[in-house]
């Protein structure tokens, strides 16, 4: 295998780990780890709300999730990656279950959609510079996130 192919495979692996870290960090309520996946100047858009900068990206779910839901379960499906030098685009499909009370698992607020991400190679590895959540569906009880 040539060097370029090996580098592409390594980059794709790191980019998959990068995007997969987001839902895991949210479900584990590790908002600092969630934010660590972004560049300092990153922009995140969710349902028309735009958060600019890593700290705003951390503060959004840090405020929204624990105050509304005792548990969440984010499921990530397909991951599509396109690399162009030191920049990459990532598209993922997701379904997220939001439980106001963990002891009542039949009551949940759900959303499905796509993450549209742009990542850049940095001195600390790949980091997300832009992330937009496109909500495609909602089901269950009415979702109470500000989206």
């Amino acid at each position: 295998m040539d060097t370029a192919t090996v580098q592409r495979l390594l980059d794709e692996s790191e980019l998959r780990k990068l995007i997969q870290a987001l839902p895991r960090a949210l479900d584990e309520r590790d908002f600092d780890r969630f934010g660590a996946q972004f560049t300092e100047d990153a922009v995140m858009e969710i349902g028309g709300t735009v958060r600019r900068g890593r700290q705003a990206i951390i503060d959004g779910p840090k405020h929204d999730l624990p105050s509304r839901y005792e548990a969440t379960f984010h499921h990530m499906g397909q991951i599509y990656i396109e690399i162009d030098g030191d920049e990459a685009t990532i598209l993922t499909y997701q379904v997220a279950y939001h439980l106001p009370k963990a002891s009542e698992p039949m009551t949940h607020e759900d959303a499905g959609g796509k993450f549209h991400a742009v990542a850049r190679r940095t001195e600390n590895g790949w980091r997300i510079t832009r992330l937009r959540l496109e909500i495609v569906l909602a089901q269950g009880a009415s979702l109470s996130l500000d989206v």
Side-chain angles (χ1 to χ4, degrees), residues 22-56:
L22 298 178
R24 183 175 183 182
L26 290 174
D27 289 343
E28 294 176 357
R29 303 296 200 259
D30 189 341
F31 303 110
D32 289 332
R33 184 168 37 126
F34 178 77
Q37 310 312 306
F38 294 86
T39 60
E40 195 64 45
D41 62 345
V43 176
M44 180 176 172
E45 181 182 342
I46 176 170
T49 299
V50 177
R51 297 177 178 139
R52 297 182 187 282
R54 182 183 293 149
Q55 193 58 53

Side-chain angles (χ1 to χ4, degrees), residues 16-135:
R16 284 182 194 285
K17 288 177 184 178
L18 176 73
I19 201 73
Q20 289 172 327
L22 298 178
R24 183 175 183 182
L26 290 174
D27 289 343
E28 294 176 357
R29 303 296 200 259
D30 189 341
F31 303 110
D32 289 332
R33 184 168 37 126
F34 178 77
Q37 310 312 306
F38 294 86
T39 60
E40 195 64 45
D41 62 345
V43 176
M44 180 176 172
E45 181 182 342
I46 176 170
T49 299
V50 177
R51 297 177 178 139
R52 297 182 187 282
R54 182 183 293 149
Q55 193 58 53
I57 290 168
I58 293 170
D59 291 344
K62 188 176 188 176
H63 173 266
D64 294 345
L65 291 182
S67 66
R68 296 178 174 135
Y69 306 108
E70 288 183 5
T72 57
F73 177 77
H74 291 78
H75 173 76
M76 184 176 286
Q78 302 94 310
I79 301 172
Y80 302 101
I81 298 170
E82 296 291 330
I83 301 170
D84 184 11
D86 289 337
E87 189 167 281
T89 58
I90 308 167
L91 172 65
T92 69
Y93 288 62
Q94 300 204 22
V95 176
Y97 303 92
H98 304 80
L99 288 76
K101 293 187 179 188
S103 62
E104 298 176 14
M106 295 301 289
T107 302
H108 44 89
E109 305 166 10
D110 312 328
K114 301 174 187 176
F115 269 171
H116 301 267
V118 176
R120 180 175 64 227
R121 188 189 320 267
T122 73
E123 62 187 29
N124 297 314
W126 288 94
R127 294 294 180 264
I128 297 167
T129 59
R130 182 159 185 85
L131 180 68
R132 180 175 61 87
L133 174 57
E134 173 191 358
I135 298 175

